[in-house]
Amino acid sequence: MAEYNTIQNYNNYGKLAINRNVFKTIAIEAVERVQGATISKSKKRLFSIDTPIDVTFHRNGEVEVKVDISVEKNANPTKVSVAIQQEISNALQEYTESVPFAITINITSII
């Protein structure tokens, strides 16, 4: 699995490689800006590949970001999910400009 998404700009000045952790950090910061939700906690297991944020690079250049969140009882889950998608979308457009992406929000618990 690739750890970097490579962007070739149109001016042919070179390529830019963006690490998977950059996309995770962008998603974490976006969720922190939305009231009523937090990043879900990872399940405690001896060996676990379950993480609350999963970033997948597809061959067509698309970046898929999946985020597991916990929503507060008094918050509207639909509004919170849409707000998080919008925050992540805005941040990705701001930082990466030309990278196509898909964002999926999974509500894993109510706190």
Side-chain angles (χ1 to χ4, degrees), residues 23-25 27-28 31 39 51-55 65-68:
F23 290 97
K24 287 182 180 182
T25 301
I28 289 168
V31 172
I39 300 288
T51 59
I53 299 177
D54 183 36
V55 177
V65 180
K66 295 180 183 177
V67 182
D68 293 342

Side-chain angles (χ1 to χ4, degrees), residues 10-76:
Y10 299 108
N11 295 330
N12 295 322
Y13 291 134
K15 296 179 181 179
L16 173 66
I18 302 175
N19 189 294
R20 178 182 317 278
N21 291 328
V22 172
F23 290 97
K24 287 182 180 182
T25 301
I26 289 171
I28 289 168
E29 290 176 357
V31 172
E32 289 174 350
R33 286 191 295 270
V34 176
Q35 289 186 334
T38 58
I39 300 288
S40 292
K41 303 292 183 215
S42 295
K43 296 179 179 97
K44 303 290 184 196
R45 294 184 187 153
L46 183 60
F47 176 75
S48 177
I49 58 172
D50 294 334
T51 59
I53 299 177
D54 183 36
V55 177
T56 306
F57 299 140
H58 295 283
R59 291 180 191 248
N60 64 359
E62 182 182 72
V63 176
E64 183 178 6
V65 180
K66 295 180 183 177
V67 182
D68 293 342
I69 62 169
S70 297
V71 178
E72 294 177 2
K73 286 182 184 179
N74 58 353
N76 181 332

Side-chain angles (χ1 to χ4, degrees), residues 94-105:
E94 186 175 313
Y95 289 112
T96 63
E97 279 183 22
S98 62
V99 175
F101 53 86
I103 303 165
T104 304
I105 306 296

